[in-house]
Amino acid sequence: MNVNQLSKRLQTVADYLPEGAHFADIGSDHAYLPCYVCMKDPDAKAVAGEVNQGPLSSAEREVASHGLQDRIDTRLGNGLDVVKQGEVSQVTIAGMGGPLIRDILDQGKEKLSTVDRLIVQPNIDARALRRWFLDHGYELVAEEIIEEKGHIYEVLVADKGDSLKPYTKDKREQELWFGPFLMKNKGDVFQAKWKEELEKKQYVLAQMKKAQSVDEDKMEQLNKEIDWLEEVLAE
Ligand SMILES: C[S@@+](CC[C@H](N)C(=O)[O-])C[C@H]1O[C@@H](n2cnc3c(N)ncnc32)[C@H](O)[C@@H]1O
């Protein structure tokens, strides 16, 4: 993968940035995403943040190879520490686990006062991010689920707004898990992801039933999740 042939995963993230974006890409690694966006849009500007020197060096090389040093600032630091107050209007964080992305947002929340859009691509546990958006005044406005090279990825887009809006009162827990928009569309990739999850949970339940001592709470939780999965796949 390179900047001229961005992965479908990063392309999906890039598609949700507005024209003239001024954004921070946290955990940017090779900085393919900011380079791609800035090459396409002459008004875009970015901060590429990295906590590790190795990836930061590849980001520096990539940025320099496109002569984009005046529009992409590569910075070493943890999470949103690399961003100055009021400096950016969008933040992208891709290719990490949901809980890590959530912690980066949470630890840097004072830097988000001028950030009106967050675009995240968690590798696992998107629910952790939906919950964080809900609790911090970010309204989920779009979700994508894509498959690339045998992996399934979710991309979530949240704007400052009414964080309760995408959710219904009775089904909020399920919507936080499956995604309120994704569970309305239920495309093939969605079906594949949750069918696999259902099979895993059914296997765990069968093993649990064979065990000599049973954790009733765990069993109850598992049964509830299996019901939700069967429901969402059947509807
Ligand atoms: C798997 S790579 C993803 C790179 C790129 N965002 C992508 O999606 O292709 C994750 C990157 O995040 C960086 N990273 C992990 N934790 C971080 C943190 N707290 N702050 C900044 N960067 C972090 C790692 O050094 C690594 O380069």
Side-chain angles (χ1 to χ4, degrees):
M1 188 190 68
N2 60 48
V3 74
N4 298 312
Q5 246 196 335
L6 208 58
S7 62
K8 189 166 150 191
R9 178 179 67 79
L10 288 179
Q11 178 72 60
T12 307
V13 173
D15 286 347
Y16 282 98
L17 283 165
E19 292 284 304
H22 191 183
F23 70 107
D25 183 42
I26 303 300
S28 197
D29 197 353
H30 29 59
Y32 287 150
L33 175 66
C35 286
Y36 170 82
V37 172
C38 290
M39 282 163 73
K40 231 179 67 175
D41 177 358
D43 296 324
K45 282 173 79 175
V47 172
E50 251 300 334
V51 76
N52 290 308
Q53 184 57 55
L56 185 80
S57 301
S58 20
E60 286 164 353
R61 278 194 300 275
E62 188 70 27
V63 170
S65 76
H66 301 290
L68 287 167
Q69 301 93 318
D70 56 334
R71 287 196 289 133
I72 302 175
D73 212 355
T74 49
R75 298 182 192 164
L76 186 66
N78 183 22
L80 288 161
D81 289 355
V82 297
V83 177
K84 296 187 202 96
Q85 194 81 39
E87 193 182 14
V88 296
S89 303
Q90 303 85 22
V91 170
T92 56
I93 313 181
M96 301 177 213
L100 175 57
I101 298 178
R102 177 204 54 211
D103 292 348
I104 288 174
L105 292 172
D106 205 58
Q107 283 161 20
K109 46 180 187 291
E110 73 284 359
K111 300 286 179 58
L112 296 177
S113 58
T114 54
V115 173
D116 43 37
R117 171 160 286 196
L118 301 171
I119 310 169
V120 294
Q121 180 270 301
N123 289 341
I124 53 156
D125 197 3
R127 173 164 48 184
L129 287 161
R130 292 191 188 96
R131 270 195 210 288
W132 191 90
F133 294 153
L134 183 65
D135 294 340
H136 293 86
Y138 277 92
E139 178 184 330
L140 193 65
V141 293
E143 296 174 308
E144 301 275 353
I145 188 162
I146 56 161
E147 185 166 18
E148 185 167 51
K149 294 187 180 151
H151 294 284
I152 292 180
Y153 303 104
E154 288 178 46
V155 173
L156 312 185
V157 185
D159 289 348
K160 262 207 181 108
D162 176 1
S163 64
L164 268 171
K165 198 170 157 194
Y167 300 100
T168 55
K169 208 169 153 218
D170 301 339
K171 291 225 161 174
R172 194 192 301 164
E173 282 308 309
Q174 289 96 313
E175 288 163 345
L176 282 165
W177 194 24
F178 301 116
F181 298 106
L182 297 177
M183 70 188 279
K184 275 194 194 113
N185 294 330
K186 291 193 193 135
D188 291 348
V189 183
F190 178 93
Q191 301 271 356
K193 174 182 166 109
W194 294 111
K195 195 163 169 279
E196 194 183 324
E197 191 65 26
L198 174 61
E199 284 163 5
K200 272 192 210 152
K201 291 206 187 280
Q202 282 168 331
Y203 176 79
V204 174
L205 184 65
Q207 296 305 109
M208 244 188 205
K209 283 180 177 162
K210 282 189 212 155
Q212 296 200 321
S213 70
V214 170
D215 181 333
E216 293 294 340
D217 290 345
K218 255 195 187 157
M219 180 96 111
E220 196 182 319
Q221 177 67 20
L222 200 53
N223 271 314
K224 188 174 79 180
E225 288 174 352
I226 288 174
D227 283 350
W228 286 353
L229 283 160
E230 284 174 341
E231 210 177 291
V232 83
L233 289 166
E235 277 164 4

